[in-house]
Amino acid sequence: MTGTPPAKGFARIPLPQSLVDQARAHQDGTTVPAEPRNAATVVLMRGGSGEPEVYLLRRQKVMAFAGGMAVFPGGGVDPRDFDSSVAWAGPAPADWAERLGVEEELARAIVCAAVRETFEESGVLLAGDSATTVVADTTGADWEADREALESRDLSMTDFLTRRGLVLRTDLLGAWSGWLTPTFEPRRYRTWFFVAALPEGQVTRDVSTESTEVLWLPASEALRQAESGELMMLPPTYLTCLEVLQHADPGEVLAAARERDVSMFTPEVVADGDEFVLSRPPHLDPLLQERFG
């Protein structure tokens, strides 16, 4: 467990001894890495006062993964997300495959999961009745019934869209980054991060099944609360908020997404003097140095 330590500040908080012991057991060959599950998460944004606001869910403490943490809407790829007959608008699955660094079939499923999980957890639906329109209101009882049926897997995304005459607006998503849970964690996810703006007319839900609270926070306030300990965040969530803060509004974030290369980063335990911390992508060093000196 060696390497270059992260910049000072939030991203270099020492790891609990239990995690260090897990990492050592893995390094010694005592444990076998868990097989990662593919997942998608969406940084849902709206305009604020000179910076984007982000939508966060505080997960229930009893959740097996990231219990009590503030996270973006998202979850695992479901087998039915692979349905090639799903109504589709925007960049073709082949284009998404190139952006996400995966085969076309998986790219389609990841994008579908991103839209589905966002609707399940926030009530926001990135879909419309054509390639140029977006659903304006998803607050009715019939929408809530469909959301619950999707969440319970009684309804597939394909059937949901077909029944309502809708198509996925995949062009409303921007690919942002990729994070793979460290090898020593017992539950691991290969997660693709996307960004999206809250569609005009739509509103988010007040709470989701897996969360105790939902929050709309300016990106700067989300960072402040994480740094003060008021809000618990995993490093990918914190670092994504830090990147989003560099832009004035959701439109700028989406424009930046079009220029980004998406690759999967796996944090590792690295030594920082007598302590151990998690590594982070090197391209974030300048932002961390600027924030913490």
Side-chain angles (χ1 to χ4, degrees):
M1 292 184 291
T2 60
T4 303
K8 294 180 179 180
F10 175 87
R12 66 169 297 281
I13 292 176
L15 293 174
Q17 186 60 44
S18 59
L19 287 184
V20 175
D21 292 341
Q22 281 181 230
R24 283 176 172 157
H26 169 69
Q27 188 178 50
D28 294 342
T30 307
T31 60
V32 177
E35 183 63 28
R37 181 183 178 188
N38 292 322
T41 190
V42 176
V43 186
L44 192 60
M45 305 171 292
R46 68 184 184 188
S49 180
E51 65 181 271
E53 295 184 354
V54 295
Y55 180 77
L56 294 164
L57 305 94
R58 195 192 302 264
R59 287 170 63 85
Q60 296 189 30
K61 292 183 178 180
V62 296
M63 299 297 293
F65 184 80
M69 297 286 182
V71 300
F72 304 119
V77 175
D78 185 87
R80 290 182 296 180
D81 292 327
F82 286 86
D83 190 344
S84 61
S85 66
V86 65
W88 190 279
D95 296 327
W96 281 110
E98 184 175 352
R99 290 299 314 281
L100 303 179
V102 298
E103 66 276 13
E104 183 176 333
E105 183 181 26
L106 179 55
R108 181 191 294 109
I110 293 168
V111 172
C112 186
V115 175
R116 175 181 55 75
E117 286 284 347
T118 300
F119 180 56
E120 288 179 16
E121 295 201 332
S122 73
V124 171
L125 182 60
L126 303 177
D129 56 17
S130 73
T132 58
T133 61
V134 187
V135 172
D137 182 13
T138 61
T139 59
D142 57 331
W143 287 104
E144 178 61 12
D146 281 348
R147 190 200 64 77
E148 291 178 350
L150 282 167
E151 194 171 41
S152 65
R153 303 298 182 263
D154 290 333
L155 179 66
S156 72
M157 193 66 175
T158 299
D159 291 342
F160 165 63
L161 294 172
T162 300
R163 190 171 68 190
R164 287 187 171 271
L166 300 174
V167 296
L168 287 181
R169 285 290 308 277
T170 72
D171 57 310
L172 299 180
L173 287 169
W176 193 254
S177 62
W179 290 84
L180 176 57
T181 311
T183 55
F184 59 81
E185 288 281 6
R187 285 181 173 82
R188 303 183 65 212
Y189 294 89
R190 184 184 295 106
T191 305
W192 283 266
F193 279 58
F194 295 86
V195 292
L198 178 68
E200 185 176 353
Q202 291 196 38
V203 296
T204 50
R205 302 179 74 246
D206 291 334
V207 70
S208 80
T209 306
E210 297 182 351
S211 66
T212 58
E213 181 184 16
V214 299
L215 305 161
W216 272 110
L217 291 175
S220 60
E221 177 61 14
L223 292 172
R224 188 199 67 77
Q225 290 192 24
E227 292 161 1
S228 68
E230 298 170 54
L231 205 59
M232 292 191 298
M233 284 185 186
L234 293 171
T237 309
Y238 173 88
L239 293 169
T240 302
C241 287
L242 180 59
E243 289 190 282
V244 166
L245 181 58
Q246 310 309 307
H247 303 281
D249 54 51
E252 279 196 10
V253 178
L254 286 163
R258 290 192 287 271
E259 306 299 323
R260 290 174 70 99
D261 292 324
V262 177
S263 58
M264 199 61 56
F265 179 78
T266 307
E268 297 179 349
V269 175
V270 296
D272 185 9
D274 296 329
E275 299 172 333
F276 292 98
V277 297
L278 284 178
S279 63
R280 73 280 172 262
H283 75 270
L284 295 176
D285 283 353
L287 293 183
L288 291 167
Q289 292 290 353
E290 181 180 351
R291 188 165 185 86
F292 297 108

